[in-house]
Amino acid sequence: MMAAALAGVPAGVQAQGIWAGRRQLFVRFAGEAETATMYTAVALVRELERQIARSKFHSISIGGRDPLANVNFLIAALEGAKPSIPVMLDTDGQRPDAFALIAPHLALAQVTVEFVGPETMVTNAIETVAAAAGATCATAMVLCPRDDTSDGQLLRIIEQAHRASASTQIVIHPPTPTGEQPVLDRRW
């Protein structure tokens, strides 16, 4: 019996990426400090079926803390549920080797880069984009720069993502303004 710690399976509106603004059913893996509920794959199948039957959703979004650490759990749940709506994996891209296993169950792989941590995080994110393209999965890269992120950093990542897959869709979310005046940087 496979189980995973989920922060929940809430309904909501996607805030980031190419499906922003779409109503989704979120499968959120819990982080260290979050309250979690243990779900078996069978329990997740039942929850997905129940919620999809009760309401209309654009898609299912799988995200939260390191969803690909639970790739076998996800495969079992998605094979059991056989959802009638598209499934999106929203990941930081740190497990590119696990992507091929779940790719047949996905309509979209969304790799989110938040510009924290070492440069290897970006390298792994680009490898995940390449793995998604190799699995013929639609791919998006969401860049969430910080105030100190340069245009040069953004351009390098965009170029790397397009070398990995020319069909990768790029979304850049401007940094949240800081200070008393909520004025965006002119480049946005």
Side-chain angles (χ1 to χ4, degrees), residues 14-27:
Q14 180 58 251
Q16 295 186 16
I18 63 171
W19 287 353
R22 306 283 176 101
R23 189 160 190 270
Q24 292 184 315
L25 185 56
F26 292 89
V27 176

Side-chain angles (χ1 to χ4, degrees), residues 13-24 58-61 86-89 107-110 138 140 169 171:
V13 176
Q14 180 58 251
Q16 295 186 16
I18 63 171
W19 287 353
R22 306 283 176 101
R23 189 160 190 270
Q24 292 184 315
H58 171 268
S59 51
I60 296 170
S61 176
V87 177
M88 174 184 86
L89 174 69
L108 174 65
Q110 180 168 290
Q169 297 180 59
V171 177

Side-chain angles (χ1 to χ4, degrees), residues 68 71-72 74-75 79 96-106 135:
L68 288 180
V71 71
N72 293 328
L74 284 172
I75 291 169
E79 285 176 352
D97 52 323
F99 186 82
L101 299 171
I102 195 165
H105 303 284
L106 302 177

